[in-house]
């Protein structure tokens, strides 16, 4: 999720050279060494008594000092791997050297290098203001207790940002309330993004590394390995780890479910508004983007290693230029490279690696308003403007555009032109792609799938935003104050927070999210597609996306691909 259009994926399978596969196995072993480099987990974790208590915890790399506030222990900016600068740029994450003494862990770690952009005030809470650095592989832990012999479920958050921007250190992702209210351990991570997290040339792999197309993914794997190894010290259950993410973070979750290196590290998964979350970048498209970046510096794949000498600011600026040239469509994202990924996680079907992992998956009711909010004129469009935008956005001819809009108007005869655009764009970008993952996972018939739609309505701007992209996140974390411009004085905010937090925690604890808040919420299958309406309706519905699915099925040659923006004429 970012000001850049949402990631919409396509993929094709490439062969895996035996040499590259051997290198990958070697680097996977090196990644595993990150959490073992300091030996076995120490049996020491304590909190100093007194009002100015400074909690201490022992990790596999050394002792860390956190903070205690309102019944929660927080350890921030804890490294899980070495700096990615210099020789480590474009390489799989390397082990962090253990430290002596006690390391301060009271402030969030550096953001990954990225482009900065503006945001409407209602969504500013999603972005971190912590400075960027290539020494960005760190995480933050929030826990109700330290080494108290309890095994709490662990929820690991993957932020959004279209694989290009964002950080786990946003004020909206503070895990304190969720940890305390639901008696769980919450972890948020930072990892490499954009060209630093994925750069693929398709040849001369030794110049960067065989894994360079998926270093961001391997960062996430390294973080999960660290979490598993250090769970006990923070009151967590190493055998019960849930990954949850929204938007680009949701796509990170689905990617992890299909990467062999993550096997055994994930017991449950939550996918929130995953745009194109079933497909990775295909090698030829990723290689075109990689070569375009190299040309910015007068390089080719044969001497691509010289990119390690380029100042990171120039590298990120070049990434922005290459991405802008394609209308904001970025192919610097997880890639079907035949090295880290042997197959696509959810295309044409769900990976067997994900078969036994329960899945909670869903979307917000008015996803598209997040992207339209930057210009208030987007909420008073004419019928002609909407027709032109949809025709360009989904690449339809005039007759099919009329047919699609007509089907949506039949479903909602009182909708304004802007409301029709919001519905069509949200379904195309998020709702239907997310449910495609639900369909493919449930088809494996091995672990339950639970679908939801978040239908709480924001009072901001007199209600025009509805339930926008990202809107469920502050309720899950309980970061209502951080998101006050979006939530405002919504009278039901505490109820929504408490119910949503309990649902996410219940799912992490048991693999079943059902609570008293939504009676009759049964698993999602191809025959019923039961979906819980959360936030306002609090009820289970049978396939609420049926009419949207039928409307798009009637459009000839409908194929989900990266569209141009629908936010402007």
């Amino acid at each position: 999720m970012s000001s850049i259009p949402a990631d919409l994926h396509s993929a094709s399978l490439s062969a895996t050279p035996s040499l590259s596969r051997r290198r990958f196995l070697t680097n996977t072993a090196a990644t595993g060494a990150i959490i073992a480099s300091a030996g076995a987990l120490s049996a020491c974790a304590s909190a100093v008594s007194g009002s100015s208590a400074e909690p201490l915890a022992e990790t596999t790399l050394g002792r860390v000092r956190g903070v205690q506030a309102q019944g929660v222990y927080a350890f921030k900016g804890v490294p899980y791997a070495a700096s990615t600068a210099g020789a480590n740029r474009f390489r799989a994450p390397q082990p962090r050297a253990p430290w002596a003494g006690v390391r301060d862990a009271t402030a969030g770690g550096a953001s990954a290098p990225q482009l900065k952009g503006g945001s409407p005030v209602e969504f500013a809470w999603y972005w971190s203001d912590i400075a960027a650095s290539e020494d960005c592989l760190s995480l933050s832990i929030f826990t109700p207790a330290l080494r108290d012999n309890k095994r709490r479920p662990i929820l690991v958050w993957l932020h959004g940002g279209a694989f290009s921007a964002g950080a786990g250190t946003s004020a909206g992702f503070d895990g304190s309330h969720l940890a305390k209210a639901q008696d769980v351990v919450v972890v948020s991570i930072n990892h490499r993004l954009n060209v630093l997290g994925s750069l693929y040339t398709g040849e001369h792999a030794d110049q960067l590394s065989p894994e360079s197309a998926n270093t961001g993914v391997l960062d996430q794997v390294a973080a999960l390995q660290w979490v598993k190894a250090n769970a006990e010290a923070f009151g967590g259950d190493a055998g019960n780890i849930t990954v949850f993410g929204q938007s680009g973070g949701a796509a990170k979750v689905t990617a992890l479910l299909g990467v062999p290196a993550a096997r055994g590290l994930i017991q449950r998964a939550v996918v929130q508004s995953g745009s194109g979350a079933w497909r990775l970048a295909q090698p030829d498209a990723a290689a075109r983007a990689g070569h375009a970046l190299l040309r910015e510096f007068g390089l080719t794949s044969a001497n691509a290693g010289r990119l390690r000498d380029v100042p990171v600011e120039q590298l990120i600026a070049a990434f922005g230029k290459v991405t802008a040239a394609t209308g904001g469509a970025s192919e610097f994202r997880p890639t079907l490279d035949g090295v880290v990924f042997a197959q696509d996680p959810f295309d044409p079907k769900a990976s067997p690696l994900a078969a036994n992992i329960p899945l909670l998956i869903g979307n917000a009711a008015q996803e598209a308003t997040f992207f339209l909010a930057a210009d208030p004129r987007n909420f008073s469009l004419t019928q002609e403007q909407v027709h032109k935008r949809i025709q360009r956005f989904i690449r339809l001819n005039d007759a099919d555009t009329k047919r699609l809009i007509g089907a949506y108007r039949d479903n909602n005869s009182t909708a304004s032109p802007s409301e029709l655009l919001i519905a069509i764009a949200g379904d195309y970008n998020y709702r239907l792609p997310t449910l495609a993952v639900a369909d493919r996972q449930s088809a494996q018939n091995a672990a339950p799938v639970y679908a939801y739609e978040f239908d709480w309505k924001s009072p901001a701007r007199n209600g025009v935003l509805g339930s926008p992209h990202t809107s469920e996140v502050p309720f899950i974390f309980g970061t209502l104050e951080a998101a006050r411009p979006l939530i405002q004085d919504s009278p039901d905010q505490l109820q929504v927070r408490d119910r949503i937090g309990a649902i996410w925690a219940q799912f992490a604890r048991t693999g079943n999210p059902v609570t008293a808040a939504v009676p009759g919420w049964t698993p999602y299958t191809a025959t019923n597609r039961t979906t819980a309406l959360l936030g306002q309706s609090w009820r289970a519905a049978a396939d609420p996306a049926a009419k949207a699915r039928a409307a798009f099925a009637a459009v000839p040659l409908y194929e989900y691909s990266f569209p141009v923006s629908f936010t402007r004429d």
Side-chain angles (χ1 to χ4, degrees):
M1 186 280 302
S2 115
S3 56
I4 299 171
D7 288 299
L8 308 176
H9 301 203
S10 57
S12 64
L13 184 63
S14 62
T16 306
S18 59
L19 177 59
S20 292
R21 187 178 297 277
R22 288 197 299 272
R23 285 171 172 160
F24 171 58
L25 294 174
T26 299
N27 280 285
T28 300
T31 301
I34 290 171
I35 51 85
S37 59
L41 183 65
S42 167
C44 173
S46 63
V48 180
S49 61
S51 59
S52 59
E54 292 182 326
L56 302 177
E58 187 84 15
T59 78
T60 51
L61 293 176
R63 302 175 80 194
V64 290
R65 177 189 297 108
V67 295
Q68 181 183 10
Q70 299 179 341
V72 176
Y73 300 98
F75 297 83
K76 302 177 181 180
V78 180
Y80 63 84
S83 171
T84 65
N88 288 342
R89 189 185 282 180
F90 307 121
R91 292 199 169 109
Q94 299 299 303
R96 186 90 182 196
W99 53 84
V102 179
R103 183 185 180 97
D104 186 77
T106 60
S111 301
Q114 59 192 268
L115 294 170
K116 294 293 185 179
S119 176
V121 64
E122 292 89 354
F123 305 107
W125 57 270
Y126 203 97
W127 309 108
S128 173
D129 59 0
I130 294 180
S133 166
E134 286 190 84
D135 190 4
C136 62
L137 302 189
S138 68
L139 45 76
S140 297
I141 310 105
F142 305 87
T143 180
L146 297 172
R147 205 171 181 84
D148 62 350
N149 296 317
K150 290 187 68 174
R151 296 184 175 225
R152 297 171 179 82
I154 303 173
L155 292 96
V156 178
W157 171 250
L158 302 176
H159 67 81
F163 299 106
S164 299
T169 49
S170 161
F173 310 148
D174 186 293
S176 299
H177 177 85
L178 180 59
K180 180 181 179 181
Q182 304 300 333
D183 195 31
V184 297
V185 178
V186 180
V187 180
S188 60
I189 71 171
N190 283 352
H191 58 84
R192 280 173 284 186
L193 300 168
N194 48 71
V195 68
L196 297 170
S198 179
L199 178 57
Y200 181 75
T201 63
E203 54 188 354
H204 300 291
D206 58 309
Q207 282 290 305
L208 300 173
S209 76
E211 305 84 22
S212 66
N214 290 292
T215 51
V217 173
L218 294 181
D219 292 345
Q220 296 158 39
V221 172
L224 289 171
Q225 290 173 328
W226 189 98
V227 169
K228 185 177 181 69
N230 292 281
E232 186 179 354
F234 296 95
D237 184 352
N240 187 4
I241 298 174
T242 297
V243 289
F244 69 127
Q246 185 270 341
S247 193
K252 295 169 192 175
V253 171
T254 56
L256 285 171
L257 293 180
V259 66
R263 177 179 286 181
L265 298 175
I266 300 169
Q267 281 67 54
R268 325 202 194 286
V270 184
V271 173
Q272 302 169 213
S273 303
S275 178
W278 73 74
R279 287 176 176 168
L280 304 172
Q282 53 183 320
D284 56 350
R288 283 195 298 272
H291 283 270
L293 183 98
L294 288 170
R295 287 194 295 272
E296 291 297 312
F297 300 99
L299 301 175
T300 69
S301 58
N303 57 6
R306 295 183 185 177
L307 285 178
R308 292 191 177 90
D309 300 324
V310 174
V312 69
E313 297 81 7
Q314 294 181 25
L315 198 61
I316 299 302
F319 158 76
K321 182 177 178 180
V322 169
T323 302
T326 58
S330 173
E331 296 294 344
F332 299 98
R333 53 192 174 88
T335 301
L336 187 59
D337 60 349
V339 179
V340 175
F341 288 97
Q343 64 184 64
D344 203 294
F346 283 91
D347 187 59
K349 59 184 180 180
S351 168
L353 294 173
N356 296 314
I357 298 178
L359 180 65
L360 175 61
I361 184 167
N363 60 276
Q366 284 82 37
E367 298 273 5
T369 60
F370 172 92
F371 302 95
L372 296 170
D375 186 349
R377 293 173 296 181
N378 284 324
F379 297 96
S380 57
L381 299 172
T382 66
Q383 182 173 335
E384 182 180 6
Q385 285 176 305
V386 168
H387 181 100
K388 289 181 178 179
R389 288 194 190 188
I390 292 173
Q391 183 171 4
R392 184 185 73 249
F393 171 56
I394 310 179
R395 301 185 179 97
L396 298 175
N397 62 34
D398 191 66
D400 290 332
T401 303
K402 290 180 180 178
R403 183 179 296 112
L404 182 63
I405 295 174
Y408 272 78
R409 184 168 293 286
D410 289 344
N411 296 335
N412 187 354
S413 60
T414 63
S416 69
S418 289
E419 288 170 338
L420 292 175
L421 174 65
I422 290 166
I424 292 171
D427 287 346
Y428 184 81
N429 253 3
Y430 291 99
R431 191 190 201 186
L432 297 180
T434 298
L435 291 177
V437 173
D439 286 326
R440 294 172 188 187
Q441 177 71 349
S442 66
Q444 299 202 80
N445 198 31
V449 174
Y450 290 88
Y452 74 88
E453 180 171 295
F454 188 67
D455 66 352
W456 169 86
K457 308 297 183 187
S458 170
R461 305 194 193 186
N462 296 317
V464 72
L465 297 176
S467 181
H469 192 62
T470 76
S471 58
E472 80 280 10
V473 176
F475 291 102
I476 296 167
F477 281 94
T479 50
L480 303 183
E481 286 305 315
R484 185 57 60 197
L486 176 69
I487 295 170
Q488 299 202 353
D489 59 352
S490 179
D492 58 352
Q493 58 186 282
L494 296 183
Q495 181 193 67
V496 176
R497 179 198 66 185
D498 294 345
R499 287 183 173 184
I500 292 290
I503 287 170
W504 259 243
Q506 173 74 356
F507 178 75
R509 207 176 307 278
T510 68
N512 182 337
V514 178
T515 69
V518 187
W521 186 6
T522 58
Y524 180 102
T525 69
T527 56
N528 61 41
R529 291 193 169 104
T530 300
T531 302
L533 305 180
L534 308 177
Q536 184 180 74
S537 302
W538 301 110
R539 63 181 178 85
D543 196 10
K547 292 181 178 179
R549 190 180 294 107
F552 274 100
V555 177
L557 303 179
Y558 168 63
E559 173 61 28
Y560 193 70
S561 59
F562 205 126
V564 295
S565 174
F566 62 88
T567 63
R568 56 186 179 272
D569 293 328

